[in-house]
Amino acid sequence: MKHLGILISGRGSNMLAIASAIREGRLSAADIALVISNVADAPGLERARELGLATAVFDHRGYKREEHDRRMAAALHERSADVICLAGYMRLLSPWFIRQFEGRILNIHPSLLPAFTGLDAQLQALEYGVKHTGCTVHFVDEQLDHGPIIGQTVVSVAPDDTLQSLSERILEAEHSLYISCLQLVVSGNYTIEGRRVVELDTSRKGSVLPGW
Ligand code: GRF
């Protein structure tokens, strides 16, 4: 069983999608240990409380980045969180925090990385005129929107798309992508070769190894 620590700053729809998937048995061998927000009045925090999830607020203001991250890490360790999901967490993590949870921090980004990193990825895609964009779940490393990619979903841009209509379709895709990527990570059924996250072939489990 893996214990998820989910970091949010706002709406929290990805956090809710994860919570629903666990409740409905679409994501197994995982529970939510703690939902942390750096914004006290984040709407997602209230939703998490309504679901009876453990929540904590760590306002970053007045703290150095690493100091803030150390406070969050202490709370996450206290709850035995072993996989960290960034779900609309609008702050960069310190290298210290990333090392604490090395290879166990996931982020979701609303574009097909490496295109359109940073803020307003949906607007960047629309303004660039791409015909296809989407979303990416990746492991977090010390560079912004950069670590090894776990999964991506393509969302086509319609000629009459507005920022709102495109963002809504991407968000819908995000909700299922995050679950399938988390399922893989929680299962531990993958290896990382360079930048490539490679899913292991479970159908070969128990097969006769060469030389046996
Ligand atoms: C999502 O679009 C996600 O890709 C980005 O921030 C947004 C968070 O939305 N990182 P929500 O708070 O999960 O609804």
Side-chain angles (χ1 to χ4, degrees), residues 99-115:
R99 281 195 300 271
Q100 274 291 299
F101 296 96
E102 185 102 59
R104 294 182 290 138
I105 311 174
L106 282 67
N107 181 42
I108 185 149
H109 183 76
S111 76
L112 294 176
L113 291 173

mmCIF file of all heavy atoms in Angstrom, residues 99-115:
data_model
loop_
_atom_site.group_PDB
_atom_site.id
_atom_site.type_symbol
_atom_site.label_atom_id
_atom_site.label_comp_id
_atom_site.label_asym_id
_atom_site.label_seq_id
_atom_site.Cartn_x
_atom_site.Cartn_y
_atom_site.Cartn_z
ATOM 1 N N ARG A 99 15.077 15.859 -3.262
ATOM 2 C CA ARG A 99 15.953 14.747 -2.828
ATOM 3 C C ARG A 99 15.306 13.899 -1.741
ATOM 4 O O ARG A 99 15.474 12.687 -1.714
ATOM 5 C CB ARG A 99 17.304 15.299 -2.352
ATOM 6 C CG ARG A 99 18.248 15.649 -3.506
ATOM 7 C CD ARG A 99 19.674 15.833 -3.010
ATOM 8 N NE ARG A 99 19.759 16.905 -2.030
ATOM 9 C CZ ARG A 99 19.967 18.193 -2.340
ATOM 10 N NH1 ARG A 99 20.117 18.572 -3.599
ATOM 11 N NH2 ARG A 99 20.030 19.111 -1.391
ATOM 12 N N GLN A 100 14.557 14.544 -0.856
ATOM 13 C CA GLN A 100 13.856 13.811 0.207
ATOM 14 C C GLN A 100 12.953 12.723 -0.361
ATOM 15 O O GLN A 100 12.792 11.663 0.211
ATOM 16 C CB GLN A 100 12.931 14.778 0.994
ATOM 17 C CG GLN A 100 13.557 15.508 2.109
ATOM 18 C CD GLN A 100 13.903 14.587 3.250
ATOM 19 O OE1 GLN A 100 13.032 13.947 3.844
ATOM 20 N NE2 GLN A 100 15.175 14.490 3.550
ATOM 21 N N PHE A 101 12.283 13.049 -1.463
ATOM 22 C CA PHE A 101 11.322 12.127 -2.069
ATOM 23 C C PHE A 101 11.784 11.760 -3.483
ATOM 24 O O PHE A 101 10.973 11.658 -4.402
ATOM 25 C CB PHE A 101 9.918 12.764 -2.085
ATOM 26 C CG PHE A 101 9.355 13.031 -0.721
ATOM 27 C CD1 PHE A 101 9.469 14.286 -0.146
ATOM 28 C CD2 PHE A 101 8.727 12.027 0.005
ATOM 29 C CE1 PHE A 101 8.961 14.548 1.118
ATOM 30 C CE2 PHE A 101 8.213 12.270 1.274
ATOM 31 C CZ PHE A 101 8.326 13.532 1.830
ATOM 32 N N GLU A 102 13.063 11.561 -3.619
ATOM 33 C CA GLU A 102 13.689 11.298 -4.923
ATOM 34 C C GLU A 102 12.945 10.226 -5.723
ATOM 35 O O GLU A 102 12.718 9.102 -5.238
ATOM 36 C CB GLU A 102 15.132 10.826 -4.679
ATOM 37 C CG GLU A 102 15.937 10.635 -5.945
ATOM 38 C CD GLU A 102 16.873 11.802 -6.183
ATOM 39 O OE1 GLU A 102 17.715 12.063 -5.311
ATOM 40 O OE2 GLU A 102 16.729 12.447 -7.241
ATOM 41 N N GLY A 103 12.551 10.573 -6.941
ATOM 42 C CA GLY A 103 11.891 9.601 -7.812
ATOM 43 C C GLY A 103 10.473 9.239 -7.378
ATOM 44 O O GLY A 103 9.881 8.304 -7.904
ATOM 45 N N ARG A 104 9.955 9.966 -6.404
ATOM 46 C CA ARG A 104 8.620 9.621 -5.899
ATOM 47 C C ARG A 104 7.685 10.821 -5.916
ATOM 48 O O ARG A 104 6.678 10.841 -5.234
ATOM 49 C CB ARG A 104 8.740 9.063 -4.473
ATOM 50 C CG ARG A 104 9.495 7.730 -4.444
ATOM 51 C CD ARG A 104 9.579 7.163 -3.051
ATOM 52 N NE ARG A 104 10.459 7.943 -2.204
ATOM 53 C CZ ARG A 104 10.201 8.274 -0.931
ATOM 54 N NH1 ARG A 104 9.078 7.886 -0.374
ATOM 55 N NH2 ARG A 104 11.060 8.974 -0.236
ATOM 56 N N ILE A 105 8.056 11.852 -6.699
ATOM 57 C CA ILE A 105 7.194 13.027 -6.829
ATOM 58 C C ILE A 105 6.674 13.091 -8.255
ATOM 59 O O ILE A 105 7.445 13.035 -9.222
ATOM 60 C CB ILE A 105 7.948 14.340 -6.521
ATOM 61 C CG1 ILE A 105 8.716 14.235 -5.199
ATOM 62 C CG2 ILE A 105 6.983 15.513 -6.496
ATOM 63 C CD1 ILE A 105 9.598 15.457 -4.895
ATOM 64 N N LEU A 106 5.354 13.182 -8.396
ATOM 65 C CA LEU A 106 4.725 13.262 -9.719
ATOM 66 C C LEU A 106 4.111 14.640 -9.899
ATOM 67 O O LEU A 106 3.632 15.246 -8.927
ATOM 68 C CB LEU A 106 3.597 12.228 -9.849
ATOM 69 C CG LEU A 106 3.946 10.776 -10.107
ATOM 70 C CD1 LEU A 106 4.657 10.160 -8.920
ATOM 71 C CD2 LEU A 106 2.668 9.981 -10.393
ATOM 72 N N ASN A 107 4.099 15.098 -11.140
ATOM 73 C CA ASN A 107 3.418 16.359 -11.448
ATOM 74 C C ASN A 107 2.558 16.160 -12.680
ATOM 75 O O ASN A 107 2.861 15.326 -13.536
ATOM 76 C CB ASN A 107 4.440 17.462 -11.733
ATOM 77 C CG ASN A 107 3.776 18.800 -12.033
ATOM 78 O OD1 ASN A 107 2.806 19.183 -11.366
ATOM 79 N ND2 ASN A 107 4.258 19.516 -13.040
ATOM 80 N N ILE A 108 1.474 16.930 -12.762
ATOM 81 C CA ILE A 108 0.666 16.932 -13.990
ATOM 82 C C ILE A 108 0.737 18.324 -14.602
ATOM 83 O O ILE A 108 0.648 19.333 -13.897
ATOM 84 C CB ILE A 108 -0.785 16.477 -13.732
ATOM 85 C CG1 ILE A 108 -1.538 16.383 -15.052
ATOM 86 C CG2 ILE A 108 -1.518 17.378 -12.734
ATOM 87 C CD1 ILE A 108 -2.612 15.343 -15.088
ATOM 88 N N HIS A 109 0.930 18.344 -15.922
ATOM 89 C CA HIS A 109 1.095 19.624 -16.621
ATOM 90 C C HIS A 109 0.163 19.641 -17.841
ATOM 91 O O HIS A 109 0.086 18.650 -18.574
ATOM 92 C CB HIS A 109 2.555 19.791 -17.064
ATOM 93 C CG HIS A 109 2.800 21.101 -17.726
ATOM 94 N ND1 HIS A 109 2.892 22.285 -17.008
ATOM 95 C CD2 HIS A 109 2.931 21.433 -19.027
ATOM 96 C CE1 HIS A 109 3.081 23.284 -17.863
ATOM 97 N NE2 HIS A 109 3.105 22.796 -19.096
ATOM 98 N N PRO A 110 -0.536 20.757 -18.072
ATOM 99 C CA PRO A 110 -1.534 20.794 -19.147
ATOM 100 C C PRO A 110 -0.981 21.084 -20.546
ATOM 101 O O PRO A 110 -1.467 21.983 -21.237
ATOM 102 C CB PRO A 110 -2.508 21.870 -18.681
ATOM 103 C CG PRO A 110 -1.662 22.809 -17.900
ATOM 104 C CD PRO A 110 -0.579 21.982 -17.258
ATOM 105 N N SER A 111 0.051 20.340 -20.945
ATOM 106 C CA SER A 111 0.520 20.398 -22.334
ATOM 107 C C SER A 111 1.272 19.105 -22.610
ATOM 108 O O SER A 111 1.538 18.324 -21.685
ATOM 109 C CB SER A 111 1.476 21.581 -22.568
ATOM 110 O OG SER A 111 2.752 21.299 -22.027
ATOM 111 N N LEU A 112 1.623 18.904 -23.859
ATOM 112 C CA LEU A 112 2.471 17.765 -24.213
ATOM 113 C C LEU A 112 3.910 18.226 -24.052
ATOM 114 O O LEU A 112 4.475 18.856 -24.944
ATOM 115 C CB LEU A 112 2.195 17.332 -25.664
ATOM 116 C CG LEU A 112 0.808 16.749 -25.941
ATOM 117 C CD1 LEU A 112 0.645 16.465 -27.430
ATOM 118 C CD2 LEU A 112 0.559 15.481 -25.133
ATOM 119 N N LEU A 113 4.494 17.922 -22.914
ATOM 120 C CA LEU A 113 5.888 18.342 -22.691
ATOM 121 C C LEU A 113 6.798 17.667 -23.703
ATOM 122 O O LEU A 113 6.515 16.552 -24.119
ATOM 123 C CB LEU A 113 6.304 17.999 -21.250
ATOM 124 C CG LEU A 113 5.617 18.840 -20.177
ATOM 125 C CD1 LEU A 113 5.964 18.323 -18.780
ATOM 126 C CD2 LEU A 113 5.979 20.316 -20.308
ATOM 127 N N PRO A 114 7.870 18.291 -24.165
ATOM 128 C CA PRO A 114 8.441 19.513 -23.603
ATOM 129 C C PRO A 114 7.860 20.813 -24.156
ATOM 130 O O PRO A 114 8.447 21.883 -23.910
ATOM 131 C CB PRO A 114 9.922 19.379 -23.984
ATOM 132 C CG PRO A 114 9.892 18.656 -25.293
ATOM 133 C CD PRO A 114 8.752 17.688 -25.181
ATOM 134 N N ALA A 115 6.758 20.757 -24.870
ATOM 135 C CA ALA A 115 6.174 22.015 -25.360
ATOM 136 C C ALA A 115 5.455 22.740 -24.220
ATOM 137 O O ALA A 115 4.839 22.098 -23.366
ATOM 138 C CB ALA A 115 5.180 21.724 -26.482
#
